[in-house]
Amino acid sequence: MHRRLLGLALVVSSVTGLAGCGSSDSGSAGAPSADGKTTRVTVGIIPIVDVAPLYLGQKQGFFADRGIDLKMVSAQGGAAIIPGVVSGQFQFGFSNTTSLMLAQTKGVPVKAVANGAASNGKVGADVTGVLVKKDSPLKSAKDLAGRTVAVNTLQNIGDTTVRETVRKAGGDPSKVKFVEIPFDQMPAALNDGRVDAAWMGEPARTIAQAQGARVIASPFAETDPALTVAAYFTSTKIAQQNPDLVRKFTEAMNASLEYATAHPDEARRILTTYTKIGGDVLDKLILPSWPTAVNRPSLEKLAELGEQDGVFGDKKPDIGALFS
């Protein structure tokens, strides 16, 4: 947690510094091209299943039809994407909603502009799940109390929703020990016995199940079956100074989300263009839900859980300002 707060503090410092100095590229980012008909837009993304609609939308021409020349740049997570957006390196970015709330409470000027992904609401078959080895004595979320559980990032949406699942199952969430392990390393960590359970996203979830692991909890769906998990966002500067660009991006993104929802097979196939997912894993992995609207009650609940767990320190996220 200390590392994350330090990182966000550095982001705020960087933003302050950037406000007082120019960049040789600052005039071109997001600006109309020479023919005056298109706008170059760079989006910071994480190369995971959730962003499939963005790539589908680019392929279908939803962005080009609105004069947006789209470029995606991969990053390891919000720790790189959020400062990239506020500094102007990216015009838009993709992040889970807890990270955006945390950034806002630390004074980072960000604003959500389109939905990203949501729980599909299926307990036992959601896009993320807590998995244990086939022969594990753990049978439910209640059994996680006193055990070691892997999450990809500490003090974020993973351990927050896992705690809520344990709480709902009648266990003591304060007794769960969380350790930070990248998703792609979780199946091996579980097999080797380094952790008792792991909260996995796709494709790690499907890979682990193929190795015999079983799901004992679905934290997203059990926290809220309509949980808004992630969103596309921009800086408050771009939102204020270029509302027409934001409007066009949001329209194109909404069209992309609708298309992905209506064409799940195409959403799977597009994954092969920006990830190494293929074969049986591609056919079996579980897709999230891609509604066009964020679910405000689920965001309020996520914020309350984050406050309860001390994720946001002494500040409360302003859901209305962040997701308006």
Side-chain angles (χ1 to χ4, degrees), residues 97 101 115-123 126-127 157 161 168 218-231 288-302 323:
T97 48
M101 292 180 199
N115 197 16
S119 166
N120 65 26
K122 300 176 182 177
V123 175
D126 200 3
V127 69
I157 195 169
T161 54
K168 282 188 169 183
S218 300
F220 284 171
E222 292 178 51
T223 296
D224 191 309
L227 183 68
T228 294
V229 174
S289 175
W290 287 305
T292 57
V294 300
N295 184 280
R296 186 65 64 88
S298 77
L299 291 172
E300 295 285 359
K301 184 170 187 178
L302 199 58
F323 293 94

Side-chain angles (χ1 to χ4, degrees), residues 16-251:
T16 304
L18 285 165
C21 62
S23 166
S24 60
D25 295 329
S26 62
S28 61
S33 62
D35 61 11
K37 295 180 180 179
T38 62
T39 300
R40 295 185 296 275
V41 168
T42 302
V43 186
I45 59 97
I46 308 168
I48 56 177
V49 173
D50 303 53
V51 298
L54 182 67
Y55 285 85
L56 273 179
Q58 181 187 45
K59 182 179 179 181
Q60 292 299 316
F62 299 145
F63 293 90
D65 289 347
R66 292 167 174 81
I68 294 176
D69 178 16
L70 199 63
K71 177 183 178 182
M72 276 74 88
V73 176
S74 295
Q76 290 190 348
I81 295 174
I82 291 175
V85 169
V86 296
S87 70
Q89 178 186 359
F90 311 133
Q91 284 72 60
F92 299 91
F94 176 89
S95 175
N96 78 70
T97 48
T98 294
S99 289
L100 290 176
M101 292 180 199
L102 179 60
Q104 186 203 51
T105 61
K106 300 304 171 186
V108 181
V110 292
K111 184 177 183 63
V113 298
N115 197 16
S119 166
N120 65 26
K122 300 176 182 177
V123 175
D126 200 3
V127 69
T128 68
V130 176
L131 285 85
V132 298
K133 291 179 69 172
K134 184 177 181 180
D135 59 356
S136 170
L138 307 185
K139 304 298 182 183
S140 72
K142 181 179 180 179
D143 299 329
L144 295 174
R147 303 287 186 161
T148 300
V149 180
V151 292
N152 69 318
T153 306
L154 295 173
Q155 290 292 84
N156 210 279
I157 195 169
D159 50 15
T160 295
T161 54
V162 170
R163 286 191 185 94
E164 175 64 1
T165 304
V166 172
R167 188 180 294 114
K168 282 188 169 183
D172 184 350
S174 69
K175 292 184 178 179
V176 180
K177 179 183 179 182
F178 291 99
V179 294
E180 190 170 297
I181 298 177
F183 279 137
D184 61 354
Q185 297 177 26
M186 287 185 187
L190 191 61
N191 269 339
D192 296 344
R194 284 179 277 150
V195 294
D196 298 305
W199 173 74
M200 300 188 197
E202 292 287 16
R205 181 191 189 284
T206 293
I207 291 171
Q209 281 190 290
Q211 296 172 351
R214 53 189 175 82
V215 177
I216 64 167
S218 300
F220 284 171
E222 292 178 51
T223 296
D224 191 309
L227 183 68
T228 294
V229 174
Y232 291 91
F233 69 100
T234 191
S235 65
T236 54
K237 179 179 179 180
I238 287 179
Q240 293 167 359
Q241 296 185 355
N242 202 340
D244 189 54
L245 175 63
V246 173
R247 177 184 59 79
K248 290 178 179 178
F249 180 87
T250 301
E251 288 177 354

